[in-house]
Amino acid sequence: MKTMTRFCVTGAVLAASAGLASAQCNPSQLLHSPRSTQDLLGTSVALTFDNSNSPILFSGAIGRDQTGASNLGAVYVYNNNGSFFQAQQLLPAFGSGGFEFGTTIAAAFPYVAISAPGGGVGGLVYVYQKVGNSWTTVYSYEPNGTISTASFGYSLGVTATPIPRVIAGSPGYSPAGAGDAGAFFIHQNNGAWAVQVAKTSVDFQGGAGDHLGTAVAIDGSLMAAGAADGDPSGLFDAGYAVVGKLGGNGQWTFTKFLPSQSQFAAHFGQSIAVNNASHIVAVGTPYFDTSAADIGGAKVDVGCVYVFDATNPGAPVQLARLVPENASANMHFGSKVALSGDRLLISAPGTHQVFEFRQDISGNFTQRSVMSSPAGSNDFASSIALANNLAAVGDDLNTVSPTTWQGAVYYSYLTGGMGGDTFEAALPMLPGTSGFACTNAMTPTGFSVGNCGNGGGLGNDAWFTFTPGCGGQVTIDAVGSSFDTVLTIHDAKPQVFSTHNIGCSDDIVNGSNLQSRITINVEAGQQYWARVAGYNAGAQGDATINLSNVFAVNDDCVSAFSVGEGTTLGSTCAATNSIFNALDCSGLSRTFNKDVWFNFVPGATGMYDLTTCGSTFDTLLAVYTSCPGANVFPIACNDDATVCEPLRSKVSAMLNAGQSYKIRLGGFNSSASGEFALNIAMQAGPCDPDVNQDGNVDQGDVDYLINVIAGGPNPSAIDPDFNQDGNADQGDVDAMINTIAGGPCP
């Protein structure tokens, strides 16, 4: 019986990572000065970039007291000259206690809009413009006929193109007979600031208690507004949203829309974001209950974010419903959303986390990282903002002694250490390189995916992926990481009952080196995933992963791989040239290129055939009694043989049982490498027509064979298929008679 062995030819030097910078693990913190208890900086945040592409960050501190005005509020402006610094404090032109200026902020250079819900009758909105080096008030507004509960400016959006516009939500606005129906107002500067559009819930077949304007957003010619407490189809507080598109005539067209899964008290429209360039609308639904079919299973108030495409006229088309990995009850994922480019930032105040999703070239959004406070924050994720790859997160209850709840803002660039939080968002690597991630900004897989190191590591994990161009072996390690790591390797996405784990490593040296290292066989063109995890929930920080080049373990004769009779498969792609290379091969001078070595010990003495039939390249083949040296030459060598495919090799040699022989397989020239097949078989001896073993070749042997074929006894244990055609029949009797008569042995 022919045996088949799959052998990945490979070998062992790890790429060094010393001197390579690791990722910044924690977001940077901004405070304000002077600060006082309960200033609540971080109640709101906004980001924009100036004309020189320098970022500007705004943050509201609604509890900031001014002389004679408790909780007047203030907005702090942070410029950036390589790092952020406090540049200006914005205050309302007038105000009294309870103004809470800075409750909501929206920015698009050179404009910033700021709300003061305690101002006027039912709220005020201010618009500032950058003039010279300062931000100056250019517009303020409150709707006519509002009441104290109108909450005008509860939500804000601003765009600088095609002409400056500000959208303000007023979820408590009450048109006649429809208390708290809500409204949104679009203001534009077409020579002077003025209201262009005012719409209430009643305009969209809504009514009392809908709270239209809970969330608003605008970008260029695309806007959206949410009515988080609307009752579409009789579902209490299920929520709905409105999308608006600006026509060439300068007028807006509005369409009401719903998610695919309206749900009782889910509050679709609690948050909203738009991107005019991609026509994307993202709508937060923070009280959505997940089902058993969702990631993490059925849980209450997990929340979700719906993503829509608003390219075509009418209602936008739903693209996806996003929920976080490792979802938990009451996390309220989607309470706030922000869009910029292909990134989507989503807050989950129930767990004080902010999730980064990113859209790939196929249009799918995948979870890439999770920001958490580095200081065990009180209210991290109270607000969020996103501009390009810069994220800002408010923490209005942050405490820095001697004050309490003075608040803080954190910022982070979503590159380098960010990304790779999920299998789908794995960071690509090339063999011979190192990768970095911050597992503080990650979530755990949530179930055991390996058979080492606490179930493959149950802490936060980061994912990487690579596709080798050569078959062979690679070594992967986590040396340089700042925490106790566990490394797992997978050939597909792990599931609870099928982890697709092909390697697992905990400690390189138990108790003294808590990093991980593993060597695996790889195949050319096959994608693999490497996961760096913390040993437990407390093990997290800067993760480093080092991936070696593909190598061949039997690249040299001294590391020859033991083989037996049958076929051995592998690749020479990663091999190098051995010494003592120029050989006399069947009377021709030949040099072996990218050669690999095997050790063969025959089980019986006899003539053996060795071939490379089935290989994909022009091969050379040689057999030695020991590793070659200055005076050690092959006992058999061949370039081309005519036994199978062109340019394949065959050697035949008398080999002794129990003796070790070295087999060398390489390419004809430097470009000849790839997948090989090494075939070893002992030649069959001549046939023996004396089947009854009586010492004579005669009619008795014919009778014996006929009897065995008919099912009779077979004391000499012959193979009745005398002619070796796969059948025991009259053909074998005829072949026996022909042989006895002097014909050739089949």
Side-chain angles (χ1 to χ4, degrees):
M1 177 67 71
K2 191 177 192 180
T3 61
M4 182 76 74
T5 303
R6 181 69 200 179
F7 174 63
C8 291
V9 185
T10 52
V13 179
L14 185 63
S17 63
L20 294 175
S22 63
Q24 176 184 336
C25 199
N26 294 317
S28 300
Q29 185 190 68
L30 291 175
L31 301 174
H32 63 296
S33 178
R35 55 183 179 267
S36 302
T37 292
Q38 297 188 20
D39 280 350
L40 305 180
L41 180 74
T43 299
S44 57
V45 289
L47 284 166
T48 189
F49 283 81
D50 65 18
N51 291 331
S52 63
N53 204 34
S54 294
I56 304 170
L57 189 153
F58 304 86
S59 183
I62 64 171
R64 182 67 182 169
D65 298 337
Q66 303 296 338
T67 303
S70 176
N71 297 333
L72 174 67
V75 170
Y76 292 85
V77 183
Y78 298 87
N79 290 342
N80 190 294
N81 58 2
S83 61
F84 281 105
F85 62 95
Q86 184 176 318
Q88 190 175 351
Q89 180 185 141
L90 303 184
L91 297 171
F94 64 91
S96 59
F99 231 59
E100 296 187 340
F101 177 77
T103 295
T104 310
I105 309 174
F109 193 81
Y111 299 99
V112 60
I114 303 170
S115 74
V121 177
L124 276 167
V125 168
Y126 292 83
V127 179
Y128 288 73
Q129 183 176 353
K130 184 71 177 293
V131 179
N133 294 322
S134 300
W135 293 88
T136 303
T137 307
V138 293
Y139 181 61
S140 63
Y141 183 82
E142 65 171 316
N144 293 326
T146 56
I147 58 176
S148 61
T149 58
S151 298
F152 178 68
Y154 182 88
S155 57
L156 288 173
V158 61
T159 185
T161 58
I163 63 173
R165 285 186 173 91
V166 170
I167 183 170
S170 181
Y173 191 83
S174 300
D180 292 338
F184 62 83
F185 300 80
I186 299 177
H187 311 254
Q188 70 177 22
N189 182 1
N190 196 7
W193 284 99
V195 175
Q196 180 191 18
V197 171
K199 292 289 184 180
T200 74
S201 175
V202 176
D203 295 315
F204 304 103
Q205 295 78 48
D210 284 0
H211 293 133
L212 177 65
T214 302
V216 295
I218 189 168
D219 181 27
S221 57
L222 182 65
M223 62 75 58
D229 300 327
D231 304 333
S233 304
L235 286 173
F236 178 75
D237 288 352
Y240 64 86
V242 174
V243 65
K245 300 173 185 177
L246 185 65
N249 59 359
Q251 301 302 307
W252 293 88
T253 300
F254 301 101
T255 307
K256 180 179 178 179
F257 66 99
L258 300 172
S260 60
Q261 295 173 266
S262 286
Q263 194 178 85
F264 176 85
H267 299 288
F268 174 81
Q270 183 72 43
S271 60
I272 209 156
V274 298
N275 186 315
N276 188 53
S278 61
H279 311 289
I280 293 294
V281 179
V283 185
T285 312
Y287 291 85
F288 183 87
D289 299 336
T290 56
S291 68
D294 284 303
I295 298 174
K299 292 182 175 66
V300 175
D301 291 348
V302 170
C304 70
V305 171
Y306 289 92
V307 180
F308 298 86
D309 180 0
T311 301
N312 297 319
V317 177
Q318 183 174 313
L319 300 178
R321 178 171 59 83
L322 307 179
V323 293
E325 289 207 346
N326 303 300
S328 60
N330 303 308
M331 69 188 304
H332 303 307
F333 176 82
S335 290
K336 297 184 184 299
V337 294
L339 265 172
S340 185
D342 59 358
R343 285 185 169 87
L344 174 59
L345 207 62
I346 305 169
S347 75
T351 54
H352 300 305
Q353 293 175 306
V354 176
F355 293 76
E356 176 206 3
F357 280 69
R358 195 166 185 184
Q359 190 176 27
D360 61 25
I361 58 174
S362 299
N364 300 313
F365 281 90
T366 55
Q367 182 178 319
R368 295 186 61 84
S369 66
V370 182
M371 295 175 64
S372 302
S373 170
S377 158
N378 293 298
D379 199 24
F380 189 81
S382 57
S383 59
I384 62 172
L386 179 66
N388 297 340
N389 67 334
L390 176 61
V393 181
D395 177 7
D396 57 354
L397 300 184
N398 185 79
T399 292
V400 176
S401 182
T403 59
T404 59
W405 292 3
Q406 85 288 330
V409 177
Y410 294 88
Y411 69 92
S412 182
Y413 288 91
L414 303 179
T415 55
M418 312 300 284
D421 185 32
T422 62
F423 177 89
E424 291 80 5
L427 298 170
M429 295 186 67
L430 293 174
T433 65
S434 297
F436 308 96
C438 170
T439 62
N440 290 359
M442 306 293 163
T443 54
T445 294
F447 56 90
S448 297
V449 297
N451 57 3
C452 72
N454 198 18
L458 300 181
N460 291 357
D461 50 26
W463 289 87
F464 301 83
T465 186
F466 63 95
T467 302
C470 286
Q473 279 188 331
V474 294
T475 296
I476 309 158
D477 71 38
V479 173
S481 300
S482 64
F483 57 97
D484 184 356
T485 61
V486 177
L487 182 66
T488 62
I489 313 298
H490 306 264
D491 58 9
K493 182 177 181 177
Q495 307 289 338
V496 173
F497 299 109
S498 180
T499 63
H500 293 283
N501 181 277
I502 59 173
C504 187
S505 170
D506 183 8
D507 301 335
I508 294 176
V509 179
N510 189 32
S512 61
N513 190 333
L514 303 183
Q515 303 308 322
S516 316
R517 178 177 292 149
I518 194 166
T519 298
I520 59 167
N521 290 337
V522 294
E523 295 185 22
Q526 168 71 45
Q527 187 173 9
Y528 299 90
W529 288 263
R531 168 183 166 271
V532 181
Y535 176 82
N536 53 30
Q540 60 185 28
D542 287 310
T544 299
I545 185 168
N546 308 296
L547 175 64
S548 76
N549 286 305
V550 181
F551 55 84
V553 292
N554 60 339
D555 199 20
D556 296 308
C557 182
V558 292
S559 58
F561 179 74
S562 294
V563 294
E565 289 188 62
T567 297
T568 298
L569 303 176
S571 171
T572 63
C573 178
T576 59
N577 294 359
S578 299
I579 58 175
F580 303 108
N581 211 350
L583 303 176
D584 181 279
C585 206
S586 303
L588 301 171
S589 177
R590 292 290 182 264
T591 297
F592 279 64
N593 292 272
K594 290 192 172 184
D595 53 349
V596 290
W597 292 84
F598 306 89
N599 189 68
F600 174 61
V601 179
T605 298
M607 184 67 70
Y608 285 81
D609 292 329
L610 296 86
T611 77
T612 61
C613 296
S615 300
T616 63
F617 59 97
D618 187 353
T619 60
L620 300 176
L621 188 64
V623 179
Y624 299 77
T625 56
S626 62
C627 286
N631 298 308
V632 178
F633 303 98
I635 60 174
C637 185
N638 179 252
D639 179 5
D640 299 332
T642 57
V643 292
C644 51
E645 304 96 339
L647 307 180
R648 306 302 178 259
S649 311
K650 176 184 177 181
V651 296
S652 298
M654 178 63 69
L655 305 180
N656 298 319
Q659 182 175 342
S660 176
Y661 294 90
K662 305 299 181 184
I663 302 170
R664 184 183 199 176
L665 189 159
F668 174 77
N669 53 37
S670 59
S671 63
S673 65
E675 302 298 309
F676 68 76
L678 174 64
N679 313 288
I680 303 175
M682 186 177 181
Q683 294 181 0
C687 68
D688 183 3
D690 184 15
V691 293
N692 64 5
Q693 299 295 301
D694 66 352
N696 300 302
V697 178
D698 52 21
Q699 182 64 39
D701 296 295
V702 176
D703 296 339
Y704 185 91
L705 179 61
I706 293 171
N707 185 55
V708 172
I709 291 173
N714 186 10
S716 60
I718 67 163
D719 179 1
D721 184 16
F722 186 75
N723 64 5
Q724 298 296 303
D725 67 352
N727 300 300
D729 53 18
Q730 183 62 41
D732 298 294
V733 176
D734 295 341
M736 169 72 76
I737 293 171
N738 185 60
T739 301
I740 292 174
C745 201

